[in-house]
Amino acid sequence: IYGLTLPRFDPFVYVQGHRPRAPNQVVLDSFSADRAGYRIGDTVKLSGKGAVESFRLVGIANFGEASSLGGASVAIVQTPVAQRLLHLGDSFTSIDLAAKPGVTPEQLAANVREALPAGAYTVRTGNQQARADANAIKDQLGFLRTVLFVFAAIALFVGAFLIVNTLSITVAQRTREPALLR
């Protein structure tokens, strides 16, 4: 569930319909809408961390040029609706900011840090956030390396077993041939 942002920060391209303009409206990503067979005007049921709620589909969007976020379903609703569905109260999980022309990202981050209580929030520039996101993905997929290593070890063992077994059978058969020829 994605809370609606200002158009300047919105990573979605609306290929059909429009952005949610009312609390009962939702936009789905193209992949999810196609997979579920949804069309503009259909009723879509969403659940966050609570009860299931019904929304009217008013748009279909792509994430940039992609039809989905790696196969994940995305539902775009107004920010207060996302906060309600996810039980966030008046909180946000992230806030995007833009500086006036001439202000560097580092200056903006420093100004925001000064305005907020010390240590209460994490403030990052766009590049720092991109690196943090990349590291988080790398850490979350670290188990995959272990799983692939285990499968490779099993494949190596099975392959070695098959080769040794095949060679031993071949040698046993060849050993009988000279004995018969004698």
Side-chain angles (χ1 to χ4, degrees):
I1 296 175
Y2 181 81
L4 194 60
T5 64
L6 295 173
R8 176 178 183 173
F9 297 112
D10 194 351
F12 295 96
V13 177
Y14 298 87
V15 293
Q16 291 180 31
H18 56 81
R19 297 163 48 103
R21 296 179 186 148
N24 67 336
Q25 297 180 347
V26 66
V27 172
L28 295 178
D29 63 282
S30 298
F31 180 75
S32 298
D34 289 344
R35 184 177 58 200
Y38 285 123
R39 302 287 174 246
I40 302 292
D42 288 351
T43 299
V44 177
K45 295 184 185 259
L46 298 178
S47 67
K49 295 182 177 180
V52 176
E53 295 185 32
S54 295
F55 296 86
R56 191 169 68 84
L57 184 63
V58 296
I60 296 176
N62 286 343
F63 185 73
E65 293 181 11
S67 64
S68 76
L69 282 167
S73 296
V74 177
I76 305 165
V77 294
Q78 290 184 333
T79 300
V81 175
Q83 290 172 318
R84 184 182 76 244
L85 288 172
L86 299 174
H87 295 286
L88 295 174
D90 291 336
S91 321
F92 293 89
T93 56
S94 67
I95 298 175
D96 297 327
L97 300 171
K100 292 181 180 179
V103 177
T104 66
E106 290 76 19
Q107 289 172 325
L108 176 62
N111 293 343
V112 170
R113 273 189 208 97
E114 287 177 20
L116 296 173
Y121 302 95
T122 303
V123 179
R124 297 184 183 125
T125 64
N127 288 336
Q128 291 169 338
Q129 184 62 40
R131 280 194 297 277
D133 290 346
N135 287 335
I137 290 170
K138 182 179 174 184
D139 291 343
Q140 290 172 358
L141 293 179
F143 76 93
L144 191 58
R145 182 179 300 157
T146 304
V147 170
L148 291 176
F149 180 73
V150 168
F151 281 127
I154 291 170
L156 185 63
F157 175 76
V158 169
F161 178 76
L162 290 174
I163 290 170
V164 168
N165 193 27
T166 302
L167 286 176
S168 66
I169 290 171
T170 304
V171 168
Q173 288 175 344
R174 296 285 180 195
T175 305
R176 288 185 205 148
E177 274 183 27
L180 289 174
L181 290 175
R182 282 190 201 145

